[in-house]
Amino acid sequence: MRRVVSKILIITVIMLSIPVIAFAASESGRVIKIDYIDYNGDTYAFAVFDTDASAAAGTTTFGTHGWNLSFGSYKFLYETPYNPNLSIHYVIPLVDGSGSSATSIQSRIRSQKGESSAIYQAFMTLMEAGGTITFNAHIQRYDNTVATGQFADTLSQALALANWGPNTQSDFENEYYNREADVAPQPVAVTYSIDEKHIETGVGTVLDHMSKDDITESSYTTQAQDFSGYDFVGSRAGYTWDAIANGNTQAISSRTAIFNATQKTAYHYYYYKKVTSPPVIPETGNITIFYRDKATNVDLYPPDTSRHGIGYGSYTISALADPQGYTFDSSMTPSPQIVTLNESNRSVEVIFLYRSNTPTPPPPPAAYPPSAILDAPDEVMAGTVVKADGGDSWSNNPGGHIEDYDFDYDGANLISDNGSYVRIWYPETGTFRIDLIATDERGETDSVDHEITVTPPIPTAVIEVTGNKKENRKVTLKSSGSYSPPYYPIDPTLTVWNITAISGGTAADIRYTGFLTGTADKDVLFKKAGTYRVRVTVINTYGLSASTEQIITIAPDLPPVAKMYLPTPDGVPYVAYRDPSDANLATFEFFNESSSPDGDTIDKAVGLYCYDSDNDGDYTDEQWYYSNDGTTWASTGMNYANTVSSFNIYSISTSSPSKFTLRTNQVGSFHFAIRVMETIQAADTIASFISESDYKRDDDF
């Protein structure tokens, strides 16, 4: 994250006169302290916040919203519901297991900061060994029961909220701020966590995800689930992410995690494959009926296709009445004919022949025999469709034609016979001969042959890479463009992918679900920018293979550029005035002009500011506030250093406002900043490999 401390925005409020009503507190009161209660054989510490004060006549008061805890170099705000009464009594357990219904300080830090955070670990160390905690109230000024001031987390901030009377100042000094309390060692319960995912293999779709971080037993068991439309494949288990990413999937439907001092987090991933049903073939077929001249094979009626798409069964087909000048020839094509449609006989042609009533004159004596011409390739691969064409053969008699084509193709299988040409394919390699005998209209013949060499059916491997070739984005590797002779096609279940890192990344940065075998296409995610080698090997049904490889470059995912715009020229201070018609509030506006240099979407942004409460020009010792909707502001619970290093926009922000507005009655200098974060679109990545740290962010502190 970029840090810029040389350029500070200082914003000043010029104060107009405004009456401030003093607030008085009673002189009686009790300090913040630690009490102990025995529960289940252990002694638990409770932070007791017990103050007693009352307001004098007037409309200006303050409300308590929580307590700031300081221990070592860490600070944490334990927020409580706003209590309009000045006499308050809170009893808050320090650690879990005390039997209290109130949320413990341990639980609150864990839920907000995470069990692995430095502040949580420091707090648990303090609880185990005992030590001192300093408490400071988290208060806000109210006028006529309406919150008008900023939050105060230190004594100086509280005193600056209003012109308080001496009794209230005394209460702040003696009861609300800088209260130290000693804590005896606590019975800290050790907790463990487990990350359980159920994933569709091959595509990475997460079917179910369960995360549990409050396990107290030394073992925990998970098991495969039943998902409609899916079959269980296997599972992986381990105590690190690498154990999942680089482990082997085993046909184990139940996993048990054994926890100890070095194994506190377990990962159980279960994999499933989608069940695909065979296509439903409709039980229908086609009957096409032709009515033709016996001598010329010319259609005398249009082909009858009215029986296309009819159901399986037996049908009686009869010839039509004789066309003019023709007589039906029942000796060649009887009528009626019984036709049966079923799964193995789904398309049937019925031909009825008619003789012309006009006598056909006998052909003149043959002058010459025909000339047989055969066109076919000299060399093909086994499994390739071969066209042997005799269509260029001709009759050497005036007005003559070729009446018949007789092909012979030893070693080949027939695909179709189309009269003047045939389509065939060779299942084996070797040298073969194709023969053609052409017969003309007089019955004279001529023959020709052609030698063809059949070579092994070697496939050709092709790699196509699609998707966004950038860190943490889904890249799809496709071998579906590979090809092989059609009768020895590529078997995708035998396809093998191999992906290696050349520079920039390592094998651990190559992420995918399932396996690199048995699939024509594969979705892959690269965790680091760099150069990678992709290799694929395809195998056809003949058993021959081919390989190819491609070098791909994965670009870095550039962080966004945080930019804040003020409605004033550069170098001119931004000044706002308190408005008597608006409850004596001053209004500031600044605009979010952040951008992504590589075109990503910025979906989270927070505005931040601090008030220079002691007017010393130093903002690093002040309390910082944030807004994630552009208008509502809350305390970060941190000073400058901790806000810069630890304020987590990921878990706080829900949008990216284009404008931030602050309304305040405080007089002096303000310091503003903006922090933004990009998103990664779900369709552009593999969600199971994305963690919080993968989302790029920036600020202009």
Side-chain angles (χ1 to χ4, degrees):
M1 185 180 295
R2 185 174 47 135
R3 300 279 185 267
V4 179
V5 298
S6 60
K7 182 179 181 181
I8 306 299
L9 299 174
I10 300 177
I11 302 180
T12 304
V13 176
I14 296 180
M15 180 177 179
L16 301 178
S17 60
I18 171 174
V20 177
I21 300 173
F23 176 83
S26 69
E27 295 183 359
S28 62
R30 293 180 297 278
V31 299
I32 301 167
K33 63 180 180 179
I34 299 294
D35 276 350
Y36 296 89
I37 297 176
D38 291 335
Y39 182 75
N40 282 345
D42 288 311
T43 301
Y44 289 88
F46 289 77
V48 179
F49 306 101
D50 206 349
T51 62
D52 187 4
S54 59
T59 59
T60 300
T61 183
F62 65 88
T64 305
H65 291 261
W67 301 87
N68 292 281
L69 288 70
S70 299
F71 47 93
S73 61
Y74 297 96
K75 293 183 180 180
F76 179 76
L77 173 60
Y78 186 100
E79 294 183 283
T80 58
Y82 166 56
N83 191 331
N85 300 315
L86 296 179
S87 298
I88 58 176
H89 180 76
Y90 290 113
V91 179
I92 301 173
L94 270 66
V95 298
D96 298 340
S98 68
S100 172
S101 61
T103 303
S104 72
I105 295 174
Q106 173 192 353
S107 178
R108 189 71 64 85
I109 296 176
R110 181 175 59 231
S111 65
Q112 293 185 16
K113 302 299 183 180
E115 194 169 274
S116 60
S117 65
I119 188 173
Y120 181 81
Q121 298 297 326
F123 182 78
M124 296 309 294
T125 299
L126 174 67
M127 292 298 98
E128 292 181 27
T132 301
I133 301 178
T134 301
F135 295 92
N136 287 279
H138 179 62
I139 70 171
Q140 190 175 24
R141 171 177 167 169
Y142 284 78
D143 290 287
N144 292 316
T145 72
V146 177
T148 57
Q150 303 301 319
F151 283 102
D153 295 292
T154 66
L155 177 60
S156 61
Q157 292 174 358
L159 295 176
L161 288 180
N163 187 18
W164 307 109
N167 291 337
T168 301
Q169 294 183 29
S170 177
D171 284 339
F172 283 160
E173 294 170 354
N174 297 322
E175 297 191 28
Y176 283 83
Y177 292 96
N178 301 320
R179 309 310 304 162
E180 291 189 352
D182 293 328
V183 181
Q186 291 296 291
V188 178
V190 178
T191 60
Y192 307 103
S193 63
I194 193 162
D195 185 45
E196 177 185 347
K197 285 187 180 180
H198 300 263
I199 301 170
E200 180 183 347
T201 185
V203 297
T205 301
V206 178
L207 306 177
D208 195 9
H209 182 198
M210 291 167 283
S211 181
K212 189 174 179 65
D213 61 3
D214 57 354
I215 301 171
T216 57
E217 296 83 5
S218 61
S219 65
Y220 190 85
T221 300
T222 63
Q223 60 185 15
Q225 300 182 24
D226 290 328
F227 295 101
S228 177
Y230 290 88
D231 285 340
F232 173 69
V233 174
S235 63
R236 297 183 185 185
Y239 299 95
T240 64
W241 164 247
D242 286 341
I244 299 297
N246 301 317
N248 295 320
T249 302
Q250 298 175 301
I252 300 175
S253 61
S254 179
R255 296 280 190 169
T256 298
I258 305 299
F259 298 110
N260 54 42
T262 59
Q263 296 179 174
K264 291 188 176 183
T265 300
Y267 300 86
H268 289 184
Y269 281 24
Y270 295 88
Y271 299 94
Y272 306 79
K273 67 178 180 180
K274 183 172 288 187
V275 178
T276 56
S277 302
V280 178
I281 301 176
E283 294 186 353
T284 59
N286 301 323
I287 299 176
T288 307
I289 309 170
F290 298 93
Y291 309 90
R292 291 176 173 170
D293 184 314
K294 177 181 179 181
T296 64
N297 214 33
V298 172
D299 288 322
L300 303 177
Y301 291 110
D304 183 354
T305 60
S306 63
R307 293 172 176 83
H308 283 196
I310 59 178
Y312 290 170
S314 296
Y315 297 87
T316 300
I317 309 299
S318 300
L320 295 179
D322 294 344
Q324 184 176 1
Y326 287 87
T327 301
F328 175 66
D329 187 352
S330 60
S331 64
M332 295 290 292
T333 54
S335 176
Q337 297 184 30
I338 306 300
V339 176
T340 299
L341 295 178
N342 51 42
E343 186 174 350
S344 60
N345 194 39
R346 301 182 66 237
S347 183
V348 177
E349 292 182 353
V350 177
I351 300 176
F352 293 108
L353 298 178
Y354 298 81
R355 297 189 308 271
S356 173
N357 295 332
T358 302
T360 301
Y368 301 101
S371 297
I373 305 296
L374 177 58
D375 182 27
D378 296 326
E379 182 177 294
V380 296
M381 287 193 289
T384 300
V385 176
V386 176
K387 180 181 181 182
D389 192 354
D392 288 338
S393 302
W394 70 84
S395 169
N396 288 302
N397 302 312
H401 62 274
I402 300 299
E403 183 72 22
D404 183 61
Y405 302 85
D406 184 14
F407 291 91
D408 189 27
Y409 33 81
D410 285 344
N413 295 330
L414 177 66
I415 300 173
S416 63
D417 186 343
N418 300 282
S420 63
Y421 68 90
V422 294
R423 295 188 183 276
I424 58 178
W425 69 279
Y426 289 90
E428 301 295 339
T429 60
T431 301
F432 302 90
R433 197 177 77 178
I434 303 174
D435 295 290
L436 168 64
I437 299 176
T439 303
D440 67 10
E441 78 286 352
R442 297 175 180 273
E444 298 295 323
T445 63
D446 186 33
S447 63
V448 65
D449 61 69
H450 181 85
E451 189 175 86
I452 185 170
T453 300
V454 181
T455 61
I458 300 174
T460 299
V462 176
I463 295 176
E464 180 186 3
V465 181
T466 62
N468 191 349
K469 293 189 279 294
K470 187 164 68 173
E471 288 175 333
N472 289 309
R473 302 309 194 273
K474 180 173 67 177
V475 177
T476 300
L477 310 177
K478 298 182 178 181
S479 68
S480 49
S482 303
Y483 51 91
S484 180
Y487 283 88
Y488 290 117
I490 291 172
D491 184 352
T493 65
L494 302 178
T495 299
V496 177
W497 292 92
N498 184 266
I499 311 169
T500 55
I502 299 175
S503 64
T506 65
D509 299 316
I510 305 170
R511 302 288 180 85
Y512 52 86
T513 61
F515 310 95
L516 292 178
T517 58
T519 179
D521 301 338
K522 191 66 184 176
D523 290 335
V524 183
L525 182 144
F526 299 89
K527 298 298 292 184
K528 286 186 180 179
T531 304
Y532 297 84
R533 176 180 288 106
V534 177
R535 181 179 178 84
V536 69
T537 299
V538 297
I539 303 176
N540 62 19
T541 55
Y542 192 86
L544 295 180
S545 66
S547 300
T548 188
E549 63 181 40
Q550 187 172 329
I551 305 299
I552 63 174
T553 299
I554 301 300
D557 186 6
L558 301 178
V561 177
K563 183 180 179 182
M564 178 175 60
Y565 167 74
L566 296 175
T568 185
D570 289 344
V572 178
Y574 183 20
V575 179
Y577 296 90
R578 285 164 59 161
D579 184 358
S581 66
D582 187 20
N584 278 301
L585 297 176
T587 300
F588 295 110
E589 291 182 342
F590 63 94
F591 300 87
N592 178 9
E593 293 190 348
S594 304
S595 61
S596 172
D598 54 358
D600 291 330
T601 299
I602 297 175
D603 74 332
K604 293 180 184 291
V606 295
L608 299 112
Y609 85 91
C610 76
Y611 170 60
D612 190 359
S613 61
D614 50 10
N615 201 29
D616 63 353
D618 180 10
Y619 59 91
T620 60
D621 60 344
E622 301 292 350
Q623 170 67 53
W624 282 75
Y625 299 86
Y626 73 94
S627 173
N628 60 14
D629 63 2
T631 57
T632 305
W633 298 84
S635 171
T636 66
M638 308 175 192
N639 61 14
Y640 171 79
N642 289 334
T643 298
V644 170
S645 63
S646 304
F647 183 72
N648 189 357
I649 186 176
Y650 176 84
S651 59
I652 292 176
S653 177
T654 58
S655 63
S656 179
S658 59
K659 182 177 75 172
F660 292 89
T661 302
L662 172 65
R663 301 171 72 243
T664 180
N665 64 358
Q666 292 177 306
V667 177
S669 297
F670 291 75
H671 306 266
F672 286 85
I674 191 170
R675 177 168 287 176
V676 298
M677 189 180 84
E678 295 178 344
T679 188
I680 302 177
Q681 302 296 334
D684 201 22
T685 189
I686 304 176
S688 58
F689 298 135
I690 297 300
S691 63
E692 175 184 339
S693 61
D694 293 323
Y695 297 96
K696 302 296 184 180
R697 55 201 89 185
D698 188 35
D699 57 54
D700 63 353
F701 277 105

